[in-house]
Amino acid sequence: QSHVQNIYLRFFDVAWDATYSKPTPIAQVRITDTAIVRNKQISIIPTVFITNECIRYIRPEQCRALAENIHQLIGSIAIANKIDSIPEIQIDCDWTAATREKYFSILSELQRLDTVHLFSATIRLFQVKYRETAGIPPVKKGLLMCYNMGNLKDPATRNSILDPVDLRKYTGNLQDYPLPLDVALPLFSWYV
């Protein structure tokens, strides 16, 4: 009904396993209704969320192995679900100035391993506004996440999902951001 042409489908998350002190994939997607996969009018874009905690705890020398494991698991999930045409792969992470070097290393390794697919990264509003400290991810394009802006726990918050006034505070110099950006807007609501 919405004439969607691209679905950014979360394939899995990568979290830190404190028991074994290593990154671990969790919550892998299982597609039971394959109609969406068979629909050739819709492109499925695998998305992988890496927790910032995971990036914080890995050692720099583990970045290559983590990228290899992510790449392999994306391929396995695509094959298992008969997703044969993938135009893009998106990596999602709430990286910070303290974790950016390792996260950017993972992004670079993924693109070294896979020169066929376009890699994109999610970009949070604070990462756009404070790009000098957050850095620019080494990918071909970004997806600017324009939602979850306010404090859900504060009753004085006018709209915690999308507040145009808050949005302008972060995007005043958006035209200077050195990556092409798509925009993700909310299609949901919640009430407290």
Side-chain angles (χ1 to χ4, degrees), residues 31-178:
I31 301 172
T32 56
D33 181 358
T34 58
I36 198 81
V37 175
R38 291 190 315 268
N39 184 342
K40 299 304 177 193
Q41 306 300 314
I42 297 175
S43 295
I44 294 183
I45 298 165
T47 302
V48 176
F49 178 71
I50 307 173
T51 67
N52 196 42
E53 176 189 42
C54 180
I55 303 293
R56 191 176 331 115
Y57 287 133
I58 64 171
R59 295 183 312 277
E61 61 271 15
Q62 292 177 291
C63 292
R64 174 176 272 182
L66 179 54
E68 289 170 352
N69 291 339
I70 289 169
H71 182 257
Q72 182 179 14
L73 188 52
I74 290 170
S76 297
I77 291 172
I79 290 168
N81 291 284
K82 298 178 177 59
I83 301 170
D84 54 357
S85 179
I86 296 174
E88 175 183 346
I89 295 172
Q90 185 171 86
I91 307 300
D92 183 11
C93 182
D94 290 329
W95 87 88
T96 61
T99 58
R100 80 178 190 182
E101 189 173 318
K102 290 186 280 187
Y103 174 58
F104 290 2
S105 175
I106 292 165
L107 291 175
S108 295
E109 279 299 319
L110 281 166
Q111 292 171 98
R112 186 190 63 77
L113 289 165
D114 182 348
T115 58
V116 174
H117 296 103
L118 174 114
F119 279 84
S120 65
T122 56
I123 314 287
R124 303 304 190 272
L125 290 168
F126 78 89
Q127 294 161 341
V128 166
K129 184 172 183 176
Y130 303 108
R131 68 175 171 262
E132 292 78 21
T133 54
I136 309 298
V139 292
K140 301 292 184 203
K141 71 175 189 170
L143 179 66
L144 184 61
M145 311 298 272
C146 294
Y147 55 85
N148 292 355
M149 297 179 185
N151 183 350
L152 183 62
K153 296 177 181 178
D154 182 359
T157 299
R158 193 173 53 158
N159 186 338
S160 62
I161 297 173
L162 178 63
D163 185 338
V165 173
D166 283 345
L167 183 62
R168 279 190 219 77
K169 292 176 187 175
Y170 288 93
T171 58
N173 293 323
L174 192 58
Q175 70 278 1
D176 297 331
Y177 198 76

